[in-house]
């Protein structure tokens, strides 16, 4: 299965992506995680992304798409993947189409997790608190002011992406305000239906 999860910061994409990765035995490709790793390793990409991430702005499309394209060619993506946090702009969505088309692969489902934006700040605060309590580093962009910027960026850029996937018939919107289990159940129901309706072949012939 090749799955895209869309949703604002704090919607629960990461949690659901990890659940799906275990269930379908396919990797979770989080562009946020990949970029944070690049920042930590002080790579060239990391240096270009660091300030933008810190201020809640999006990293330029060519950088992010390059990171994703490299990752998609790894062997573990051959039978599928879950994209978490990508695409976030229409240019990224179009570039992803080109990359997949060149490998005769396609996305099976795009799941948009819809949440009440008023609840996001509380969720992000909880995430930061949980990290603090478990001795994990707290994300520097999990800060109330930066969060406002991240939500604004998301809202500004995601609409054409959502429309694009709706037009091509891949979009499924779910209610992300319930419990983690309830959200998982909705996603599982969608993916079960998709698996029945789409001929999900093991992609022996494709590079993914
Ligand atoms: P996330 O962990 O998905 O909340 O992403 C953290 C930050 O990484 C975002 O606020 C952006 O600065 C950057 N980022 C992650 N994914 C993308 C993307 N697809 N396009 C542009 N910037 C991204």
């Amino acid at each position: 299965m090749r799955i895209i999860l869309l949703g604002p910061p704090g919607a629960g994409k990461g949690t659901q992506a990890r659940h799906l990765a275990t269930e379908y035995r396919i990797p979770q490709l989080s562009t946020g995680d990949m970029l944070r790793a690049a920042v930590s390793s002080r790579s060239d990409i990391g240096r270009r992304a660091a300030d933008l991430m810190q201020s809640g702005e999006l990293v330029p499309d060519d950088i992010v798409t390059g990171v994703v394209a490299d990752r998609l060619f790894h062997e573990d993506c051959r039978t599928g993947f879950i994209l978490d946090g990508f695409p976030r702009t229409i240019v990224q969505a179009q570039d992803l189409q080109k990359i997949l088309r060149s490998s005769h692969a396609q996305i099976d489902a795009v799941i948009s997790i819809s949440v009440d934006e008023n609840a996001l700040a509380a969720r992000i605060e909880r995430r930061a608190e949980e990290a603090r309590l478990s001795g994990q580093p707290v994300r520097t962009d999990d800060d109330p002011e930066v969060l406002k910027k991240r939500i604004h960026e998301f809202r500004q850029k995601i609409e054409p992406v959502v429309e694009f996937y709706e037009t091509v018939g891949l979009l499924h919107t779910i209610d992300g305000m319930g419990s983690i289990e309830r959200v998982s159940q909705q996603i599982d129901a969608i993916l079960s239906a998709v698996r029945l309706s789409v001929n999900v072949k093991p992609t022996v012939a494709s590079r993914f």
Side-chain angles (χ1 to χ4, degrees):
M1 291 287 267
R2 300 184 190 88
I3 304 160
I4 293 176
L5 290 184
L6 302 178
K13 296 186 299 297
T15 304
Q16 296 301 331
R18 282 188 289 280
H19 163 79
L20 290 173
T22 309
E23 193 170 326
Y24 289 95
R25 297 192 198 165
I26 49 177
Q28 169 198 8
L29 310 184
S30 154
T31 41
D33 286 349
M34 291 183 215
L35 291 167
R36 278 185 287 279
V39 171
S40 299
S41 70
R42 294 170 206 268
S43 67
D44 189 36
I45 286 176
R47 276 194 294 273
R48 291 170 67 193
D51 288 347
L52 294 164
M53 293 175 74
Q54 175 69 45
S55 63
E57 284 174 52
L58 290 186
V59 173
D61 291 328
D62 59 327
I63 297 184
V64 188
T65 303
V67 170
V68 171
D70 282 351
R71 185 65 185 83
L72 288 177
F73 284 101
H74 288 201
E75 176 64 19
D76 64 341
C77 292
R78 201 173 55 82
T79 55
F81 48 78
I82 304 137
L83 281 169
D84 157 12
F86 182 94
R88 259 170 154 104
T89 68
I90 189 65
V91 172
Q92 293 178 13
Q94 288 163 345
D95 286 344
L96 177 64
Q97 288 292 102
K98 284 182 208 148
I99 297 165
L100 293 176
R101 207 176 295 130
S102 74
S103 298
H104 310 290
Q106 61 196 22
I107 295 295
D108 297 302
V110 178
I111 296 174
S112 173
I113 307 179
S114 162
V115 282
D116 172 359
E117 285 189 11
N118 295 322
L120 296 177
R123 283 190 179 196
I124 294 284
E125 243 169 65
R126 199 163 52 234
R127 177 161 84 188
E129 186 58 18
E130 280 167 7
R132 229 173 269 123
L133 289 175
S134 63
Q136 307 276 325
V138 176
R139 281 176 51 172
T140 51
D141 60 353
D142 275 354
D143 157 278
E145 279 315 304
V146 180
L147 178 66
K148 276 189 206 150
K149 176 80 188 157
R150 287 165 63 202
I151 293 173
H152 176 77
E153 281 280 271
F154 174 80
R155 234 192 274 124
Q156 287 252 305
K157 312 270 168 61
I158 206 68
E159 201 47 48
V161 178
V162 169
E163 276 168 21
F164 173 73
Y165 287 120
E166 188 159 34
T167 307
V168 294
L170 289 174
L171 185 74
H172 304 267
T173 302
I174 59 162
D175 174 10
M177 291 307 292
S179 64
I180 291 174
E181 291 71 28
R182 181 70 201 106
V183 175
S184 291
Q185 283 165 6
Q186 294 177 70
I187 296 177
D188 287 342
I190 289 166
L191 295 181
S192 301
V194 168
R195 258 146 72 102
L196 286 178
S197 66
V198 175
N199 187 10
V200 184
K201 297 183 190 117
T203 50
V204 179
S206 107
R207 274 140 69 195
F208 299 121

